Structure formats: structure tokens, C-alpha cells
Amino acid sequence: MKDNSNTGKQEGTRTTSDRFSTGLGVLMATLGSAVGLGNIWKFPYLTGSNGGAAFLVIYIICTILVGYPIMIAEHSLGRKGRGDAVSTFKKLAPKSVWWIVGAMGILAAFLIMAYYTEVAGWVFAYVFKSFGSGLLSTDPAVTTSVFTSLVTNPVQSLVWQWVVLIVVSAIILMGVTKGIEGTTKKLLPILAILLVIIGIRSITLPNAAQGLSFLFKPDFSKITAATVLTALGLAFFKLSIGMGAMLTYGSYYGDSQNIPANAARVVAADLTVSILAGIAIFPAVFSFGFEPAAGTQLLFITIPSVFASMPFGKFFMILFFLLTSFAAIGAMISLVEVVVAFLVNYAGMDRKKATLLTAAGMAVFGSLAALSNSSLSAVTIFGKTFFDFYDFTTSNIFLPVGGLLLAVFTAWIWGWNKFHATTSNEGTITNVSFTRIIFSILKYVTPILVAIILLAGLNIVHL
Ligand code: TRP
């Protein structure tokens, strides 16, 4: 997208120059949003804390049964509405209150960014730490102390978070087509190849088999309703659905792009990257005696041990954190874009001002998360630090509720005729029976399943 300010006042209107220029660009940009710290950091940490393989199985079911249909719904609504999350609802359902779903998404974007920028800040910091030799160790005590000294330092935590926000804002100011399409296209495949290399080293470590069976041999005995909600929330988070990011991206899609096919590729690629990250991490966890349930620090304390045990380890470690920071940037761009698109399209704000204002707002929310391990470690909401509170409420409440409402809107308000017309590109793709299934899932399965998981997982209803 070039400068949007000329079309900004016309609600929900986009010129062809706003759209992604090629089919590959659409796929890569969507992937750029989906693949990020959710895959490399969050997926391993939650899988480790929730017992391994059984969690993975539930997560995969949630991804296919709930995530994939919602991604199709968001892309379709977005392409039809051709606007930001709020304008699209106002356009597709005038005189109703459905725009609140879009507004909720904008709030969710702030809350997610508040802690996402902090984790991204750790990744940025690790790029630099990788050049030294303090990190290259297989001793849990050593790698843990490097991490702890970073996160308990309030100045470093804040500064890295601001660096992240400045980098992301600068990229956004350059525009969607150049910024997103350009970078992600080149870097994601390299990240995937690097993960394969790390994975090969990890599974050839002594006792690697234990890590693989942790990841792939399910034991459902420890699964609770809260675990299922966590898996569902992770599925939403990883696919960037439930808060209007994919809806906003859908508004940039050209009329000839095949939405269901594109979404399937995104889901498959996103899942592949996560599993590769799991294979890179868990064998090493067991081989060197790390704790799989170490929580948010898992990636940062374990992955250096794999590099410490491979040739050219330092080089690969620098490359790994560098590529991970690029993946994180791609994902953050989509989060910031939800807010910026709203401010530009709906509020008629100039694109530059909108971006700076959004970044400033995120810095305010974010600083509370950045200081969660230092100055504010004793401040808690519902027993959680700001960091954990943002993490928990966005994935386990905002995104599932947003996804549920998006599914209900698509199937019950927008309806079959419009859904089918959009997903089949006005009848030019013959996929009626497939979209029928997706539509029925959105209409019945998603709302009921998500509602049950939410109520049970939050302990509102006891099953
Ligand atoms: N999916 C991204 C990841 O895995 C994070 C992300 C980007 C996101 N945009 C989003 C999560 C919108 C929820 C909603 O890192």
C-alpha cells in the first residue's frame, strides 16, 4: 500500500494500489503475520508447560476445526468490506452494533503488542548477546542467568522494547507492499531451513528420544479444561485470528485470489514452523536437563545449548535470533496495522500520525509488561504480573470471544449467499461442497465449541 491518506476520508474504500500485487505476495504477507514469536517462543513454552504431545494434539484439532474456518471468514469479510476492522462491520451490517467486534480487536492489538514487543525485545537483545561467548553453553545455570540478568534489568527491558517499536513503526511508515511483502518473502524460507538444521542437531543429541516422545507420545491424563482453552487460545494467536488482523489483511486481497486455498497454505506452513521449533527445542531440553515447564523463558535458556553443541554454533545462533526478530517484526506489523488502518480509514487520520500515535500508545501499555520482571514484579492483577495478565487475557479471552463473534456474524448475519459468493470469487471457483462444510462449521461447530471451552476453561461452568 502506498500512502493511504488520499483515500483516507472515504470510509472502507481502497484503490487497486492498496492491494497486494501478486498471489505469492498475499501468501507471504499473511504468513508474515501468522509466523512469529507464537511459533518460535509461545508454542514451545506452552507445549512444555502443558504436558507435551497431548497438548499438541488438542492444539492441532483446534487449528483445523476452529482456526482454519475463522481465517477464511476473516479474509472473506475483509475483502468484501475493503476497510479496517470497524469500517468493515459498519459497511456489511449498517445500523447494528457488530462494529464492536472490530473495536474489541483494536483493544486486543494494544494488549498483545504490550507484551509481544517485550519478547521481541529479548530476541533483539539476544542477537547482540550471540556475538559474545557468555551465552554459548549447555549448562542450564549459565543460560538461565544470562536471561535473568536481562529481564530483571528495568532499563534494558524498556530500551529494547522501544527499539522494537521504533523499528516496526519505521517499516510501517514505508507502506504495506514494500515493507511486508518484500521482507517476509525472502526470510521465512531461510528461517524454516535453519530450524531444520537446528532440529537435526537436536535429535542427534544424547537422550534426544525422550524429548521426541514428550512432543509426540500423548498422555491425555493431565489434560484439563484450562489446558484445552490454552490450546485453543494458542491456535487463535498463532494464526493471528479473532481480532481483525486477518480481516484487515483480507481487505488488501485482490479479487482473483483463492481465499480458502491461501488460508490452507498459511495454516499448513504455520503448523510446520511450530513443529520444527518443537523438534529443535525439546530433545535439547531433555538432553541437557532443562525443565520443559520453564515457562516464558524456555526458548531463551534452552536453544543456546543446541548451538553450543554444534559446529559454527555462534554463527547459527546469531542467524537464528536475527531471523526470529524478522519473523516477530512481520507479526507485529499486522498488529499495528489493525490500529493504523482504523485510524486512517475510519478516523481519517494521516498515516504517519496514526502510526506514531499507535506506537506511543503501545509503549505506554508495554512499559508495564517490560517492567514485570523488575520494578513492577510485585504488582499483580488477579494474581498475575502485567506481562502474564496481557498474555492470558488476550489469548484466553479476547481472541476466542472475538473468533466466536466473527463466526456468528459470518454464518448468521452475513449469510451463506454472500459468504459463498466471496469465497468462490463470484462463482468462478467451483468449491461449493467444500465451502458448505466450512460454513456449517462456522455456523454450528465454532460457536458451540468455543463457548463450551471458554466457559469450562475459565471455570465459569464445571464439566
Ligand atoms: N500470529 C503471530 C505469531 O504467531 C502473532 C500475531 C500477529 C497475532 N498478529 C496477530 C496474534 C493478531 C493475534 C492476533 O507470532
Side-chain angles (χ1 to χ4, degrees), residues 141-363:
V142 173
T143 57
T144 306
S145 85
V146 173
F147 180 78
T148 310
S149 68
L150 170 66
V151 301
T152 53
N153 183 320
V155 177
Q156 284 199 36
S157 303
L158 274 180
V159 169
W160 282 116
Q161 183 176 52
W162 291 341
V163 170
V164 168
L165 278 167
I166 289 167
V167 169
V168 172
S169 313
I171 295 176
I172 295 241
L173 287 173
M174 298 189 301
V176 165
T177 4
K178 272 186 281 164
I180 307 180
E181 214 171 308
T183 12
T184 48
K185 204 184 291 188
K186 294 176 200 101
L187 297 175
L188 275 180
I190 308 177
L191 176 62
I193 294 168
L194 181 61
L195 283 172
V196 170
I197 297 173
I198 306 170
I200 291 172
R201 169 68 277 210
S202 199
I203 54 175
T204 49
L205 288 168
N207 290 326
Q210 234 181 312
L212 289 176
S213 70
F214 177 81
L215 190 57
F216 296 119
K217 256 177 79 187
D219 164 13
F220 287 95
S221 64
K222 291 189 204 73
I223 296 299
T224 63
T227 320
V228 178
L229 176 57
T230 303
L232 178 74
L234 178 64
F236 277 96
F237 185 89
K238 288 213 18 245
L239 296 175
S240 308
I241 53 174
M243 50 73 74
M246 285 300 164
L247 192 148
T248 305
Y249 272 40
S251 75
Y252 305 136
Y253 274 36
D255 290 323
S256 62
Q257 258 111 39
N258 184 333
I259 289 178
N262 194 56
R265 290 189 199 107
V266 172
V267 171
D270 181 72
L271 197 57
T272 308
V273 174
S274 304
I275 292 179
L276 287 177
I279 295 174
I281 289 174
F282 286 105
V285 166
F286 287 88
S287 187
F288 297 118
F290 289 94
E291 174 53 56
T296 52
Q297 59 178 341
L298 184 73
L299 168 76
F300 297 93
I301 61 174
T302 55
I303 201 86
S305 72
V306 186
F307 294 114
S309 40
M310 67 196 267
F312 309 108
K314 187 184 269 190
F315 167 76
F316 282 118
M317 183 154 70
I318 295 168
L319 191 62
F320 172 78
F321 284 112
L322 203 56
L323 290 172
T324 303
S325 46
F326 280 108
I329 288 171
M332 286 186 287
I333 287 171
S334 73
L335 284 157
V336 179
E337 190 64 32
V338 170
V339 186
V340 171
F342 164 74
L343 292 175
V344 170
N345 271 294
Y346 190 73
M349 200 181 274
D350 156 72
R351 192 166 171 81
K352 190 170 167 198
K353 206 166 133 198
T355 307
L356 296 176
L357 193 69
T358 306
M362 287 169 172

Side-chain angles (χ1 to χ4, degrees), residues 393-406:
T393 46
T394 51
S395 286
N396 294 17
I397 300 174
F398 272 88
L399 300 181
V401 170
L404 189 157
L405 293 174
L406 275 157

